[in-house]
């Protein structure tokens, strides 16, 4: 994968399940892009499964995969959140939240058993997701005289950036979004138009 690409899941929720010694582990994988979005979903699951013993989760955010969190929600340290995060990492995913809800079955599983349970449930949820590779995009804003319209549009047609906004007046302005690795090339081509080269 190129440096300006990242792997995530689609908006469709992936669901997983694991059962061990009457304890049930329900897992849900969501596409999220902000910490607030992740927190709101965790709260929603805590309310929905209010009778569950634990609602553990992990998330990974950002194209650089540099914002993440793992939460054990009262399970012994590193037996829930970390194995869930481990599954996110082993799939190389970002912009994802995986929640695992545990209903206690009356028999302790021990730390090894818990790690296996949370890891397996998370893996099952992720396996029911659809993956997609997205590009990190940069925006380029360019101001130009109306007479240059055809030249600017030729560059847009050739390089295929997404048009974010455009304003046509005596002085025109166009904002384009293009994958990060091509942004400098787009800027250069537009700059050449200004200098008539």
């Amino acid at each position: 994968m190129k440096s300006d690409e990242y792997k995530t899941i689609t908006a469709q929720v992936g669901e997983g399940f694991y059962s061990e010694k009457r304890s049930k582990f329900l897992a849900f994988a969501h596409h999220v892009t902000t910490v607030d979005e992740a927190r709101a979903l965790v709260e929603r699951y805590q309310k929905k499964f209010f009778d569950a013993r634990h609602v553990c989760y992990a998330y990974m955010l950002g194209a650089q995969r540099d914002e993440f969190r793992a939460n054990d929600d009262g399970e012994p340290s590193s037996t829930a959140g970390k194995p869930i995060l481990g599954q996110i990492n082993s799939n190389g995913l970002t912009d994802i939240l995986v929640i695992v809800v545990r209903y206690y079955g009356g028999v302790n599983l021990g730390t090894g058993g818990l790690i296996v349970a949370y890891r397996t449930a998370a893996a099952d949820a992720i396996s029911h997701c659809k993956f997609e590779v997205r590009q990190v995009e940069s925006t380029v804003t360019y101001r130009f005289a109306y007479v240059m319209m055809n030249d600017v549009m030729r560059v847009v047609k050739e390089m295929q950036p997404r048009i974010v906004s455009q304003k046509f007046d005596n002085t025109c302005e166009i904002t384009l979004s293009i994958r990060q690795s091509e942004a400098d090339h787009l800027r250069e081509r537009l700059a050449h138009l200004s200098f008539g080269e």
Side-chain angles (χ1 to χ4, degrees):
M1 228 160 42
K2 297 190 182 91
S3 63
D4 62 353
E5 290 180 336
Y6 61 96
K7 190 168 141 193
T8 186
I9 60 170
T10 62
Q12 185 185 325
V13 179
E15 294 189 12
F17 177 78
Y18 181 75
S19 173
E20 178 71 31
K21 295 179 179 159
R22 295 201 306 277
S23 270
K24 290 181 174 59
F25 298 83
L26 315 176
F28 306 90
H30 285 266
H31 178 78
V32 292
T33 53
T34 66
V35 172
D36 289 343
E37 212 181 330
R39 279 199 194 116
L41 276 165
V42 169
E43 280 174 29
R44 207 169 85 203
Y45 277 92
Q46 286 167 336
K47 285 192 184 107
K48 184 177 176 182
F49 297 101
F50 63 91
D51 54 342
R53 177 71 69 93
H54 305 280
V55 178
C56 307
Y57 65 90
Y59 61 72
M60 177 70 70
L61 300 173
Q64 307 305 316
R65 303 181 77 245
D66 52 7
E67 192 169 1
F68 57 90
R69 175 139 194 243
N71 185 300
D72 295 317
D73 190 35
E75 290 282 32
S77 179
S78 299
T79 59
K82 228 174 171 174
I84 298 169
L85 187 62
Q87 288 306 303
I88 293 171
N89 284 331
S90 68
N91 283 281
L93 294 166
T94 191
D95 288 350
I96 182 174
L97 163 72
V98 179
I99 297 172
V100 180
V101 178
R102 179 189 184 190
Y103 281 95
Y104 183 59
V107 181
N108 286 339
L109 303 182
T111 53
L114 286 172
I115 290 167
V116 168
Y118 281 101
R119 183 175 61 217
T120 308
D124 192 32
I126 290 170
S127 76
H128 288 97
C129 291
K130 285 191 170 78
F131 300 123
E132 60 184 18
V133 173
R134 295 187 180 184
Q135 276 93 34
V136 180
E137 293 191 334
S138 291
T139 55
V140 176
T141 300
Y142 181 63
R143 287 178 193 80
F144 57 96
Y146 189 78
V147 293
M148 295 168 63
M149 176 70 70
N150 288 343
D151 295 332
V152 170
M153 286 308 169
R154 185 167 51 251
V155 171
V156 169
K157 188 170 182 235
E158 287 167 11
M159 290 197 67
Q160 300 279 305
R162 193 163 44 82
I163 297 173
V164 178
S165 68
Q166 47 193 358
K167 196 168 68 202
F168 302 127
D169 213 342
N170 292 341
T171 304
C172 302
E173 184 178 285
I174 191 164
T175 300
L176 306 165
S177 188
I178 194 164
R179 64 185 299 168
Q180 207 170 41
S181 58
E182 294 174 14
D184 285 342
H185 183 52
L186 177 61
R187 282 189 195 98
E188 280 167 26
R189 288 203 51 191
L190 292 170
H192 280 304
L193 297 178
S194 300
F195 302 117
E197 287 172 30

